[in-house]
């Protein structure tokens, strides 16, 4: 398990008066109850008119956890009433750009508005990504530190940790375990050695929420999701497949889940509720196919939808 702290946090004193007053007037909103907020539900690279990039906020036990940070996540948080500085932990399922494209605004705005710190957790390569992110953030930080007369480095704000499959995370509120999935089955691994894609299981207070991340069907995923209160699953439909170039269609077939495969997974795992996110074109026939294979409640996720559990 690779772990890295990009410097140590420095005590913040004598902040600029305007920024200090603004921060004092904007306390972190209270988190009550357990819920998921589907900040962004779109799948794949590129901007979409109907869905923001993939990102889900998990709120449990008075704490917030962000799973993936797709494009537009900063605005989606604002629409959900949450400031960037109030999201201290970000879990990345894998390092395709549609799952981390919003990290720059998220982390840099959190730094600029005097957040206490942010930690990124994800598969191998997350620490490297944090180094690159920090280098970009330094451009802004130098200017703002010069304006304020402070010396608050990005290195004291941003932390990162690579999670190995089977390893996890615990903070006294949630326990998180990671499972290597099959999203990278077809790739030439000699060109991206060590690349991994993870599914996550969050457990707290007798409740469990599982995120498939991007994955194809695989042995072990149903057991990993066994008995979850909510399964947040990706899905790729025939219409999605028809929109990509032929070389990408094999990827859609093998490394994503079809409606029938999503339904089968939910049934095999015995989950209480299935939530579909990271989606593209979905029609009633697709949902009917899911329901043919899974008899429980099915939610087609929409941006900013809130789901209690």
């Amino acid at each position: 398990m690779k772990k890295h702290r990009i410097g140590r946090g420095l005590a913040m004193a004598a902040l600029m008066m305007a920024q200090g007053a603004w921060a004092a007037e904007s306390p972190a909103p209270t988190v009550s109850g357990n819920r998921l907020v589907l900040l962004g539900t779109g799948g794949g690279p590129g901007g979409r008119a109907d869905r923001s990039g993939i990102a889900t906020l998990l709120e449990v036990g008075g704490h917030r956890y962000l799973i993936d940070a797709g494009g537009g996540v900063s605005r989606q948080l604002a629409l959900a009433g949450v400031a960037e500085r109030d999201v201290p932990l970000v879990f990345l399922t894998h390092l395709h750009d549609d799952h981390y494209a919003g990290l720059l605004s998220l982390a840099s705005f959190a730094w600029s508005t005097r957040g206490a710190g942010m930690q990124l957790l994800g598969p191998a390569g997350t620490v490297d990504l944090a180094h690159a992110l920090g280098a970009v953030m330094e451009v802004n930080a130098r200017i703002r530190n010069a304006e304020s007369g402070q010396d608050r480095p990005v290195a004291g704000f941003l932390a990162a940790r690579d999670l190995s499959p089977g390893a996890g995370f615990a903070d006294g509120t949630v326990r998180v375990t990671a499972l290597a999935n099959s999203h990278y089955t077809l790739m030439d691994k000699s060109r991206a050695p060590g690349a991994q894609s993870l599914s996550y299981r969050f457990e707290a207070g007798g409740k469990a929420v599982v995120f498939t991340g991007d994955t194809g069907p695989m042995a072990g995923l149903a057991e990993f999701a066994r008995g979850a209160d909510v399964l947040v699953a990706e899905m790729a439909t025939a219409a999605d497949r028809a929109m990509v170039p032929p070389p990408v269609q094999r990827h859609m077939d093998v490394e994503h889940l079809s409606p029938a495969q999503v339904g089968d997974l939910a049934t095999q795992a015995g989950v209480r509720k299935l939530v579909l996110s990271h989606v593209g074109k979905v029609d009633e026939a697709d949902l009917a196919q899911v329901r043919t294979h899974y008899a429980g409640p099915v939610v087609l996720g929409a941006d900013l939808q809130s789901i209690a559990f």
Side-chain angles (χ1 to χ4, degrees):
M1 184 185 304
K2 188 176 179 182
K3 190 174 182 179
H4 181 76
R5 180 76 193 177
I6 308 177
R8 291 181 177 275
L10 301 178
M12 295 184 292
L15 300 178
M16 286 192 303
M17 183 178 300
Q19 288 182 318
W22 174 78
E25 293 169 2
S26 305
T30 301
V31 180
S32 60
N34 298 337
R35 66 169 184 162
L36 291 168
V37 182
L38 307 180
L39 297 172
T41 55
R48 300 175 57 97
D50 57 341
R51 297 179 184 272
S52 192
I54 184 69
T56 308
L57 187 66
L58 174 63
E59 296 183 337
V60 59
H63 296 263
R64 292 188 174 94
Y65 310 87
L66 183 66
I67 298 86
D68 287 324
V73 66
S74 189
R75 180 175 186 272
Q76 296 303 102
L77 281 167
L79 290 171
V82 179
E84 294 92 345
R85 66 181 183 277
D86 296 328
V87 182
L89 289 165
V90 181
F91 289 82
L92 301 174
T93 59
H94 64 295
L95 302 185
H96 274 152
D97 53 1
D98 55 317
H99 290 252
Y100 73 77
L103 269 181
L104 177 58
S105 62
L106 177 71
S108 194
F109 292 162
W111 182 92
S112 291
T113 57
R114 299 311 201 251
M118 182 175 290
Q119 185 175 21
L120 311 182
L121 301 101
T126 298
V127 167
D128 293 337
L129 176 64
H131 277 298
L133 177 63
V136 177
M137 289 171 63
E138 282 289 356
V139 177
N140 166 74
R142 282 194 296 270
I143 298 169
R144 292 200 183 275
N145 279 331
E147 291 171 334
S148 66
Q150 302 303 303
D151 184 18
R152 195 167 58 91
V154 170
F157 174 83
L158 193 62
R161 175 181 168 191
D162 288 352
L163 293 177
S164 301
F169 167 89
D171 63 359
T173 299
V174 299
R175 182 167 66 91
V176 186
T177 50
L179 175 74
N181 63 40
S182 63
H183 190 51
Y184 290 157
T185 301
L186 300 174
M187 69 183 293
D188 180 355
K189 293 186 178 177
S190 69
R191 301 183 63 179
Q196 296 172 333
S197 182
L198 300 176
S199 302
Y200 289 119
R201 182 182 181 103
F202 287 74
E203 296 178 289
K207 300 284 188 175
V209 178
V210 173
F211 297 84
T212 65
D214 287 12
T215 185
M218 57 167 286
L221 185 54
E223 186 58 36
F224 184 73
R226 179 74 58 203
D229 294 272
V230 182
L231 174 64
V232 183
E234 66 114 81
M235 185 175 73
T237 65
D240 295 329
R241 185 184 186 278
M243 293 177 64
V244 300
V248 183
Q249 290 178 353
R250 176 67 172 157
H251 162 72
M252 300 290 282
D253 292 340
V254 175
E255 298 178 329
H256 285 282
L257 296 171
S258 71
Q261 290 165 339
V262 170
D264 284 340
L265 172 62
T267 294
Q268 291 165 16
V271 302
R272 292 176 175 83
K273 180 178 290 186
L274 173 62
V275 176
L276 303 173
S277 191
H278 193 278
V279 294
K281 289 186 171 294
V282 182
D283 62 22
E284 284 302 320
D286 297 314
L287 296 176
Q289 195 172 11
V290 174
R291 293 188 177 104
T292 297
H293 292 257
Y294 172 65
V298 178
V299 177
L300 174 59
D303 286 6
L304 299 175
Q305 185 172 6
S306 178
I307 299 169
F309 65 93

